[in-house]
Amino acid sequence: MGLLREGKLSADREIITGLLQLLDGLRSILKTIEAEDAEGEGEDAVLIGRLIELQAPAQAQSKKPVHARAGASSASSAPASVPPPAPAPPAPPPQDEIQPGQAEIEPEQAEPEPDQPAALATPPPAAAVPAAVVSATVQPPEPLPAAAPASKVSAEAESDAARPRIQGTAAESTLRVDVTLLNRMMNLVGELVLTRNQVLQATSADPNMTMLSRRLDMVTADLRESVMKARMQPVSNIFSKMPRIVRDLSQSLGRRVRLQVEGQDTELDKSLLEAIKDPLTHAVRNSLDHGIEPPEVRQTAGKDPEGTLKLRAAQEGSHVVIEVSDDGAGVNVERVRQKAIERGLITPDRAAHLVERELLQLVFLPGLSTAAAVTNVSGRGVGMDVVRTNVEKIGGKVEIDSRTGKGTTLRMRIPLTLAIIPALIVRSVNQSFALPQGALSELVHIPPEQAAAAIEWIEGAPLYRLRGKLLPLVFLDRLLMPGAEHKIVTERDNFIAVLDADGRRFGLVVDGLADPEEIVVKPLSAVLKDIGLFSGATVLGNADLALILDPGSIAMKAGVTMREEEEAAHAVEGETGANAAKNLEYLLVEAAGRQAAVPLGDVLRIEQLPLSRIEYIGYRPVLNFEGQLLPVEDSGGVLDAAQGNPEAQIIVVVCREGNRHVGVAVSHVLDVAAGGDLFEAGTSQRTGGVTLLKSRVTGVVDLGGVAPLPAGEQAPPEWSQTEETVA
Amino acid sequence: MSTAAMAVSRKEKTAALVEMCSVRLGSALFGVPITHILEIVGSARPQPVPLAPVFVGGLVHYRGDVLTTVSLRQLLDMPPKDGPQDILVLESSGGCFGLLVDSVGEVLTVSSADHEPNPSILDGRRRALFAGAYKLKDSLLVMLNPEQLDPMRLGAAQA
């Protein structure tokens, strides 16, 4: 072991494998000790034998046999020295806290590559094994200093030096808290949020009371945020397991892989972190097995024989994006097409019409695998389907992007937290129900007089023609109260909530819509859970209870299933909203005769209001919107054009930009459409960008360019426009 | 009912005294041992749950949780009552639940000497729900068995 450290023995793959096996052995010994208070019989001898074996070539090469022998004996005594677990430095669990400290301990040995967590003077149980980076060029530090007497002294000296620092920063300032306690706190805070909502609604004319409730509002918001933060954990908790997986797999598959990890300190709610562990592991396995080719193949293709697997985590608004990308062969789209036809997942006819990007989405269908042979790693065709189901279960989304010969990127978008979800409150059977917005794609209103024409029937099954496609409708009132009398569609307002549930698309018809609300999910008792339609209940701001609808089960209950062919088509269609090519949905607006697009994800609401509501600070138009000043962007000249007419109504699209809101004045809101990217993926930039909307190049409004209010006057950004968008 | 009883020995020699919360349902008087009651919530309007089993009286908001209530009227096949009802929040092995009754009356102290088991002419369902009756001066106080009122148990019994 000392040899390694002194550079006498270069860390080749053999040795690292041996050391890792040894580590596993030591871990199991430690476990036995913990369990039985005595050293298990185990296969110490095997391990020792392996160590000596590894040492042997080094001895042969070594110019100082004496030293080498000393090293060998110390190494072989390593397992024996474990039983008293005392020498093992600090407790294993807070791995991530120990590592940074130790990263500093041995920089000279680690030769760290900037993107690799190359540090390991870690005690055996805590060894997070960054050494698993499969690169012959890297000299991994040894994983077992504490166990080897020869290096123990130095290791201890080092950790002694480091320990005060580590403890000072991490151990003393952190606290381990029971998760159930945190959950309870979360619950109580949720409760406080509800009470706050009620207080805010009930606030009387007393100005004192108004002030107090405002303060309560602020404190509650802060408190909620802190408690949420307390549940957050860095993704490094799961990322740190990956190097070992990558290493073991790449060895057994004969691949050479370099692992790059980015954004380790991105934080995610603990329960969500648990939930994405399996999908992530699967994605990594997939990349290794199907993505990165064997070294020889790579060399022939003119690529670096060593493949790169990149794990990246980053926060994007209220989501965390986790990407697994490799520079391997990419998904063979033709194979996907063939396989899909072979398995009867889509018809040949349909397959012929699908473009590459659409075909890619097929890999998420159950039963599809492009692997020629089923290995013990993958190829059974259940993988990606499960990845998608798992991620969607927690309200996330999975996208895949692949370029033949260049690599594949799997992108998972995970919401930051589970406990509080945005929902739309809908009314039916004289009650309020909460519809999670994750499943909601759009809303359609059909007034009574149009209902007869708009809703079509096939043998009693209601359908709605949504942009030329038939959408099955489910009437919530009929579903909830079978047998009871219901108003026919022509006698009431029909609101269709177009839902996307587990790949099933249908319209849920409700009697009315109320505001969107952030709701705190409360569990239901088992008796009510058995009904199957409700996933929970919540208390609304007005103290009413509302049941939370579960779109998936509603689809099941109402018998909304799709022919597989449709499902495949849908899988494609559904993903276009935010799919692999980074397609965003845009709100198409018209301002003073020109068309422009606003990213739909940023749009909070659309307000129609009289021009007189617009006030000016200096020359800047602002809108007093729910008690807050909203800077209004008017580079389209809508306000100026309407200036002469005091009766004029203008439309303001309220958007989210970073952590502030801005308004965009427009004359019409035209449509919602998915934008096509005009740039190659990777170089696409959104600000001031253009997008392909309905086959026209349309400028995207640069929300970031709207000057903040307190700041001085800035030149308003132009509607970015190209010559193709001639109005 | 010795387990649920608060034994206070007064002038009676051996008979234990039990404190019962009396509840009214139409003209009938029922009793629930107070040791099972967590709280009494007055005049609540539970939110009905579509498609729920009949005995479910709806949901109420109780201390940050959503509580499932059992309607005693529905259980005993009595016509539903309009207007607010009182809720006894009961604790059972499966968690808390609410019991919807017309109104909650006073707490009565009854002696186990006055207790009589369920009469044999009761139907099976009621025999499970009731735990005998106490003879009061001018009426009978039918004792309810809180464990049997648990919605989970009722749900299982119905299925």
Side-chain angles (χ1 to χ4, degrees), chain A residues 122-360:
Chain A
T122 328
V129 208
V133 177
V134 190
S135 163
T137 58
V138 185
Q139 284 235 11
E142 26 169 298
L144 297 169
S151 56
K152 198 164 108 191
V153 181
S154 60
E156 274 194 351
E158 282 158 351
S159 34
D160 273 347
R163 222 170 277 161
R165 195 171 61 230
I166 298 168
Q167 285 173 348
T169 54
E172 277 169 22
S173 64
T174 58
L175 196 61
R176 291 172 70 185
V177 182
D178 193 356
V179 176
T180 48
L181 178 65
L182 272 182
N183 288 346
R184 170 110 187 97
M185 276 168 74
M186 195 69 214
N187 243 341
L188 290 174
V189 168
E191 198 48 29
L192 195 59
V193 171
L194 293 175
T195 318
R196 174 202 67 178
N197 290 352
Q198 288 162 21
V199 168
L200 286 182
Q201 286 189 359
T203 299
S204 60
D206 184 359
N208 213 6
M209 188 64 202
T210 316
M211 212 188 69
L212 281 176
S213 66
R214 282 259 165 83
R215 230 172 62 210
L216 175 69
D217 184 27
M218 255 162 50
V219 174
T220 316
D222 273 6
L223 183 63
R224 190 179 114 178
E225 208 170 292
S226 327
V227 174
M228 297 266 243
K229 256 196 199 130
R231 288 178 54 92
M232 297 296 216
Q233 291 199 309
V235 291
S236 60
N237 281 11
I238 49 171
F239 275 16
S240 63
K241 309 229 161 44
M242 292 304 155
R244 178 75 194 265
I245 294 172
V246 170
R247 194 179 175 285
D248 286 359
L249 267 180
S250 57
Q251 289 248 297
S252 65
L253 294 168
R255 307 282 202 271
R256 286 176 62 193
V257 183
R258 182 172 52 231
L259 179 69
Q260 290 183 8
V261 184
E262 238 177 73
Q264 292 235 44
D265 43 6
T266 310
E267 290 189 322
L268 202 57
D269 190 279
K270 183 175 165 57
S271 52
L272 294 176
L273 211 54
E274 287 294 312
I276 60 162
K277 202 163 112 190
D278 288 345
L280 189 69
T281 314
H282 189 91
V284 167
R285 283 162 161 261
N286 247 354
S287 278
L288 285 176
D289 197 21
H290 306 309
I292 293 171
E293 318 91 319
E296 314 82 63
V297 180
R298 292 183 64 89
Q299 224 145 17
T300 347
K303 292 200 257 186
D304 184 351
E306 189 176 71
T308 307
L309 181 71
K310 216 159 139 189
L311 286 178
R312 195 179 78 90
Q315 189 175 342
E316 283 183 11
S318 59
H319 283 78
V320 165
V321 176
I322 296 184
E323 274 181 7
V324 180
S325 49
D326 62 61
D327 62 349
V331 176
N332 187 334
V333 203
E334 274 316 304
R335 267 246 295 281
V336 174
R337 196 199 299 262
Q338 281 168 20
K339 283 274 178 178
I341 297 171
E342 219 172 88
R343 304 263 165 117
L345 297 172
I346 56 171
T347 61
D349 204 27
R350 163 112 216 144
H353 286 106
L354 292 179
V355 297
E356 194 167 305
R357 216 176 52 220
E358 293 170 323
L359 280 167
L360 264 183

Side-chain angles (χ1 to χ4, degrees), chain A residues 1-11 58 61 67 109 111 139-140 142:
Chain A
M1 215 66 68
L3 293 182
L4 252 187
R5 178 172 290 200
E6 286 152 33
K8 302 236 164 58
L9 196 60
S10 82
Q61 290 165 6
H67 190 108
Q109 290 156 4
E111 294 183 3
Q139 284 235 11
E142 26 169 298

Side-chain angles (χ1 to χ4, degrees), chain B residues 70-130:
Chain B
V70 170
S71 164
L72 195 54
R73 276 184 169 265
Q74 294 283 4
L75 264 184
L76 302 178
D77 304 319
M78 291 164 90
K81 174 180 179 269
D82 286 335
Q85 289 184 289
D86 287 347
I87 296 172
L88 295 178
V89 182
L90 302 182
E91 200 177 17
S92 79
S93 47
C96 296
F97 65 95
L99 183 68
L100 274 180
V101 296
D102 285 2
S103 63
V104 175
E106 59 203 309
V107 173
L108 302 172
T109 308
V110 289
S111 158
S112 58
D114 296 330
H115 183 258
E116 298 257 351
N118 283 336
S120 52
I121 51 167
L122 271 184
D123 68 52
R125 181 142 165 241
R126 277 161 212 247
R127 211 181 301 159
L129 296 176
F130 299 160

